[in-house]
Amino acid sequence: MLRIALFLGTNLAIIMLISVTFRLLGIEGLLMQNGVDLDLNALLIYSAVVGFSGSLISLFISKWMAKRSMGVHVIEQPGSEIERWLVNTVALQAKRSGIGMPEVGIFDHSSPNAFATGWNRNAALVAVSSGLLQQMNRDEVEAVLAHEISHVANGDMVTLSLIQGVVNTFVVFLSRVIGHTVDRLVFKTERGHGPAFFIVSMISQFVLGILAMSIVMWFSRWREYRADKGGADLAGRQKMIAALRRLQQAHEPEAMPEEMAAFAISAGRVQKMFASHPPLEDRIAALGGVQRWGD
């Protein structure tokens, strides 16, 4: 909760700073002189509510969504030796990382994958795929678990959601400013909003949304390097490198649901600018390992 409070307080300060900056630069007065009667303060508040609401709601229900959408079987009482080992390994890593014991689960997926989610670092969920347990040895699985525990310990789920909320706020705000300005200055709408406002706002929101997504994905890639380092600290550098190499060997994984993609251990084939994960060879190189098998 402290992380959320500090982050929301910081971004409230940013919104206030933007409002003051617009006034000092005379932007609000300039708009009014040209017949653009736009209340920037009210628009900023509206944009923040719209921008953050979706991200925060998704964050708070992330565990519930993950369990339902991925069909996660949460291990409450280990029913096999591998389940017992998974729970004990996560418990040890969580203790070393100074976080509460996460729920541990398995989901049915043919590719080697894993994710961590949850709004609270002391009440998270760490889940691995059945394919991961079948295709990786225990040292490699341990490294994957350590990677996910590092995500939890770093508060990555919270931070990513809040960054998404910030960029959403600016997308909503700027798209409405552009739409309102074009509606007043170009189409000479005097009262209310004409069709141009809605059309231009939608187009602007789409274009700005693409640019905003590149910012969010840049942070997502950066946190993967940090989680790899954390995983190496918990499980050992060679185990972390071996796990990443195993992912290189695996066939292209099937697409995971979009809501889980940002927290998965491996990335799909998307353009680098919009990829949630860096290339595996870059991650291996960052840990000091060779980039390809046989090198």
Side-chain angles (χ1 to χ4, degrees):
M1 288 301 296
L2 179 59
R3 178 185 289 267
I4 294 177
L6 289 174
F7 205 96
L8 289 177
T10 300
N11 288 289
L12 178 61
I14 292 174
I15 291 174
M16 294 176 63
L17 177 62
I18 292 173
S19 179
V20 172
T21 302
F22 271 38
R23 278 195 164 82
L24 291 176
L25 294 177
I27 293 177
E28 192 169 17
L30 182 62
L31 291 174
M32 293 186 66
Q33 290 176 14
N34 286 277
V36 182
D37 52 337
L38 186 61
D39 188 338
L40 294 179
N41 289 332
L43 180 58
L44 274 170
I45 295 173
Y46 165 81
S47 300
V49 171
V50 172
F52 275 99
S53 58
S55 294
L56 291 178
I57 291 172
S58 295
L59 175 64
F60 285 121
I61 67 173
S62 59
K63 260 204 321 187
W64 177 80
M65 285 178 58
K67 292 176 183 178
R68 290 183 63 88
S69 64
M70 300 297 294
V72 176
H73 162 64
V74 177
I75 305 173
E76 297 179 354
Q77 291 293 332
S80 65
E81 196 277 331
I82 185 62
E83 289 186 355
R84 193 158 33 251
W85 178 82
L86 282 173
V87 172
N88 290 339
T89 301
V90 170
L92 178 61
Q93 292 177 350
K95 183 177 180 180
R96 290 181 59 191
S97 300
I99 62 174
M101 176 63 185
E103 291 184 275
V104 182
I106 301 173
F107 60 97
D108 186 20
H109 202 272
S110 60
S111 68
N113 227 312
F115 68 85
T117 191
W119 75 273
N120 191 322
R121 67 200 295 267
N122 292 315
L125 167 69
V126 173
V128 298
S129 70
S130 55
L132 183 139
L133 296 177
Q134 294 165 3
Q135 299 177 42
M136 288 189 173
N137 62 40
R138 290 204 176 181
D139 283 349
E140 293 162 351
V141 174
E142 180 186 352
V144 171
L145 292 172
H147 173 98
E148 300 304 336
I149 288 294
S150 294
H151 274 312
V152 176
N154 293 335
D156 285 342
M157 290 79 75
V158 174
T159 306
L160 186 67
S161 295
L162 293 175
I163 288 177
Q164 182 70 65
V166 172
V167 298
N168 287 347
T169 297
F170 287 107
V171 167
V172 173
F173 176 75
L174 293 175
S175 65
R176 298 313 188 268
V177 170
I178 294 171
H180 195 91
T181 301
V182 171
D183 194 36
R184 288 290 192 270
L185 295 184
V186 178
F187 291 88
K188 307 300 182 183
T189 302
E190 296 182 359
R191 293 184 180 180
H193 291 132
F197 169 78
F198 299 102
I199 295 173
V200 174
S201 293
M202 288 177 61
I203 295 174
S204 300
Q205 187 164 333
F206 176 76
V207 174
L208 293 171
I210 293 175
L211 297 176
M213 182 55 64
S214 68
I215 297 174
V216 176
M217 291 300 99
W218 171 86
F219 172 77
S220 181
R221 292 191 297 272
W222 174 80
R223 76 194 186 117
E224 287 304 313
Y225 288 117
R226 187 171 65 162
D228 284 343
K229 183 180 183 302
D233 291 340
L234 285 173
R237 188 173 66 89
Q238 292 306 319
K239 291 181 182 179
M240 192 72 246
I241 291 173
L244 295 175
R245 284 175 172 170
R246 183 68 64 185
L247 291 174
Q248 279 188 311
Q249 283 190 313
H251 294 294
E252 184 70 14
E254 299 171 16
M256 296 184 72
E258 184 178 350
E259 62 269 18
M260 291 294 101
F263 302 113
I265 188 73
S266 63
R269 287 182 179 176
V270 293
Q271 293 182 0
K272 188 174 181 180
M273 184 177 180
F274 296 98
S276 61
H277 291 57
L280 286 166
E281 57 266 26
D282 292 350
R283 293 167 63 181
I284 293 171
L287 289 172
V290 294
Q291 293 191 356
R292 300 186 185 278
W293 283 95
D295 285 356

